[in-house]
Amino acid sequence: MTLDARQLQRLQLLELRACDGLATPAELEELLAAGVDPEALVGVGDAVRSALRPVATPDIAASVMAQLRAEDALVDADVGDALRDALSAPAPDVSDAVIAGTDLRDDSDVVAHALRDALRVPSPDLADAVMAQLGVGGASLGGLLRDALAAPAPELADAVLADAGLRDDSVAVGGLLRDALAAPDIDLADDIMAALDLGADTGDLLRESLAAPQVDVADDVMAALGLADAPSSTAEDTFAGAAEADDDVVVPLARPVLPAATATPPLRRRARWGLPVAGLAAAAVALIMVGVPDLGGNDTSDFELAAINDVQIEDLSTGDDVMVQVYQSDEHAPTIIFIDELEPEGGMPL
Amino acid sequence: MTRRLLSIMVPLFLALGVAAPTDAAAQQRRPPAGAPAEQPVKAKVELQIRVVYATDAHSKKDPRLASLTRYLGHLRFTGYELLDTQTSQVGLGGKATFAVEGGRKVTVELLGRDESRARVRVQVAGSSGNKLLDTTMSVNRNATVIVAGPKHEQGILVLPLTARY
């Protein structure tokens, strides 16, 4: 049975009004007349109302934020900045937006994790973010470190060469060493002449010889004295020994022609010539003092041409695009075999 | 007077003492140009090549080429410069290869020799190893033959070859 206010009896209505304290005195008298005590009804409404009133909702947000603020205070703000820089991924960080919206200035790891968990945002891979920041895409930092540490220790020689700025190249090292050892050019003539206690004229002669760029001082001294019959070939000295051991001799490519200034040998090399030079100086001085005997030399030329240069060609062949002319200017003159390498333009004319 | 005489004679003897072995050594080192056939034949023959740069870029004549200048003049260049001298000693059947400017190679093989003449084979190869010249010739003792023509810079190379023994 449902209760309808319109169907309430007069007595029940009066009882409700009495409970609510709305009953008039006439209505209270009417209740009393009906045998109902109006005083017993007073307060029932308050009790029922208080029982039915909902409990006040607790402020959960406030407590959570209070707890977060307490934890947030434990994190240094500088660490947060450093992490933010390191973790700055190209994708937008939802946590930052949330933190900014909740007026939290620090996104410490604890805060970030709590918020990310709450927002169900997957935690970013810190390693990937750091590697991306370092520009090492997809590589394992640990692997790189292991590879670096597993590399073989460099050889001491290499380290020394590298430290000295040298290459592992004998030519380059040799050049650097030579440059390093190249002391300022010292005129040995003065020392020799001082040791021999000789005069200035002879000293000038020797000084000119010793100041020449060629190492073979003997040639210069002998040439200056008119004794041109001296050996002049450095290749001869170098390869004569090898030729004794083997008849087939290969002479390496000639040294480049250098200006006199750069061809000056370093001090150590010249110093080795000290004793021979001193001996030649003594001999030269003696010869100068008594005059130079005629040994049949021919001025300063070291090219000795035979009086007769007879050549009989038995066989001659040339390569493709090569033309050869053979001629002799006079009976005993050296025969000239001229090779003309033909070119599209017709080669070089004689 | 005696003292003055001594001051002259002592250096004179010293000079002769120095000069005599020098002359003797020179004579022993190599026979004079155009040596007679009676000279003993050495076991080795000294092969010498000069590398001369002939050019019209200048008119300088290297004084070391004085004895050759009159013959080089036929090549009609104005300047001659001695770039290099290489020497090798070879025995009978031996050969020497000389590397000259421009990556070229000159190989001289001693085919035979007696008291008066030597027989040699001369091969000249270009920078790529291509054959330029291959000739066999007989030359008198200590004679010089000139191979010329390979282009070099603004001129040519002239290669006097001498077989001395």
Side-chain angles (χ1 to χ4, degrees):
Chain A
M1 185 177 94
T2 59
L3 186 60
D4 189 346
R6 290 171 297 182
Q7 294 176 351
L8 292 176
Q9 299 296 323
R10 171 67 184 177
L11 180 61
Q12 292 171 333
L13 179 61
L14 291 176
E15 287 177 348
L16 289 175
R17 290 183 61 84
C19 289
D20 293 338
L22 300 176
T24 63
E27 290 172 342
L28 290 175
E29 289 177 0
E30 185 178 352
L31 282 173
L32 286 172
V36 177
D37 184 8
E39 295 297 329
L41 297 176
V42 175
V44 174
D46 289 340
V48 173
R49 188 179 298 107
S50 63
L52 295 177
R53 187 174 62 186
V55 179
T57 303
D59 191 355
I60 299 173
S63 62
V64 170
M65 297 312 293
Q67 183 178 358
L68 292 177
R69 285 195 182 92
E71 294 177 352
D72 186 30
L74 301 176
V75 182
D76 193 334
D78 294 337
V79 176
D81 291 337
L83 286 172
R84 184 184 296 109
D85 293 338
L87 296 173
S88 59
D93 191 344
V94 182
S95 62
D96 284 345
V98 173
I99 290 171
T102 53
D103 198 26
L104 291 175
R105 297 304 176 204
D106 196 343
D107 57 346
S108 67
D109 201 26
V110 175
V111 178
H113 275 292
L115 289 174
R116 287 188 189 105
D117 291 341
L119 296 171
R120 297 184 183 279
V121 175
S123 178
D125 190 340
L126 301 186
D128 288 345
V130 172
M131 297 309 289
Q133 186 77 4
L134 295 174
V136 184
S140 168
L141 181 59
L144 290 175
L145 289 173
R146 277 192 296 275
D147 292 342
L149 294 174
E155 289 187 6
L156 183 59
D158 291 342
V160 172
L161 287 172
D163 192 36
L166 300 176
R167 300 282 191 274
D168 190 12
D169 183 336
S170 59
V171 176
V173 174
L176 289 172
L177 288 175
R178 277 192 293 277
D179 292 341
L181 295 174
D185 197 4
I186 298 176
D187 192 346
L188 298 179
D190 287 339
D191 294 336
I192 294 171
M193 297 311 295
L196 295 174
D197 194 20
L198 297 174
D201 293 340
T202 310
D204 290 341
L205 176 62
L206 289 173
R207 190 174 293 108
E208 289 177 2
S209 297
L210 293 172
Q214 294 184 0
V215 178
D216 193 352
V217 184
D219 277 353
D220 289 343
V221 174
M222 299 303 285
L225 296 174
L227 303 175
D229 194 17
S232 60
S233 170
T234 54
E236 177 181 357
D237 298 334
T238 304
F239 298 104
E244 292 293 337
D246 188 354
D247 285 337
D248 292 341
V249 180
V250 177
V251 180
L253 182 63
R255 292 173 301 174
V257 179
L258 299 176
T262 57
T264 304
L267 175 62
R268 286 173 181 262
R269 190 176 178 185
R270 297 188 70 176
R272 291 189 304 175
W273 288 82
L275 287 176
V277 166
L280 283 170
V285 170
L287 289 170
I288 290 171
M289 292 175 69
V290 300
V292 180
D294 184 7
L295 300 179
N298 50 349
D299 57 59
T300 59
S301 172
D302 61 351
F303 188 91
E304 188 177 7
L305 189 65
I308 300 173
N309 297 276
D310 178 53
V311 175
Q312 295 178 4
I313 295 178
E314 301 175 5
D315 182 48
L316 189 148
S317 63
T318 65
D320 297 335
D321 300 328
V322 175
M323 190 172 66
V324 170
Q325 300 178 52
V326 180
Y327 59 96
Q328 188 177 26
S329 59
D330 59 52
E331 185 179 1
H332 299 304
T335 297
I336 297 178
I337 303 175
F338 193 93
I339 302 171
D340 191 1
E341 297 176 82
L342 299 178
E343 293 180 348
E345 297 81 15
M348 179 175 291
L350 276 173
Chain B
M1 183 64 181
T2 304
R3 187 168 187 151
R4 182 179 180 82
L5 185 61
L6 282 175
S7 67
I8 296 175
M9 293 302 292
V10 168
L12 178 61
F13 282 121
L14 278 174
L16 290 176
V18 172
T22 302
D23 188 21
Q27 295 292 340
Q28 188 177 10
R29 204 162 40 238
R30 67 181 67 151
E38 292 76 24
Q39 289 285 333
V41 176
K42 296 181 180 178
K44 301 276 186 179
V45 172
E46 180 186 275
L47 299 175
Q48 186 177 68
I49 184 172
R50 309 276 172 141
V51 182
V52 179
Y53 173 42
T55 179
D56 287 326
H58 59 73
S59 58
K60 300 173 186 174
K61 292 180 175 61
D62 196 316
R64 293 172 292 182
L65 300 172
S67 60
L68 271 179
T69 301
R70 58 178 292 204
Y71 306 111
L72 297 177
H74 296 293
L75 298 174
R76 301 179 184 175
F77 287 94
T78 58
Y80 299 93
E81 179 183 356
L82 179 61
L83 299 180
D84 189 23
T85 299
Q86 300 179 44
T87 304
S88 180
Q89 297 196 20
V90 298
L92 187 61
K95 63 173 67 173
T97 298
F98 304 98
V100 300
E101 271 67 9
R104 301 174 179 94
K105 290 183 179 179
V106 177
T107 302
V108 183
E109 181 178 4
L110 180 63
L111 300 176
R113 51 103 172 76
D114 57 22
E115 294 179 352
S116 59
R117 301 186 72 85
R119 188 164 173 264
V120 295
R121 180 185 183 189
V122 178
Q123 295 171 285
V124 181
S127 57
S128 58
N130 56 309
K131 171 183 168 184
L132 297 179
L133 174 70
D134 186 354
T135 180
T136 300
M137 63 184 78
S138 168
V139 298
N140 66 284
R141 191 172 184 176
N142 304 325
T144 296
V145 60
I146 299 174
V147 176
K151 295 174 178 58
H152 179 66
E153 296 182 356
Q154 302 176 52
I156 64 169
L157 292 178
V158 180
L159 310 169
L161 294 165
T162 302
R164 183 177 291 117
Y165 60 101

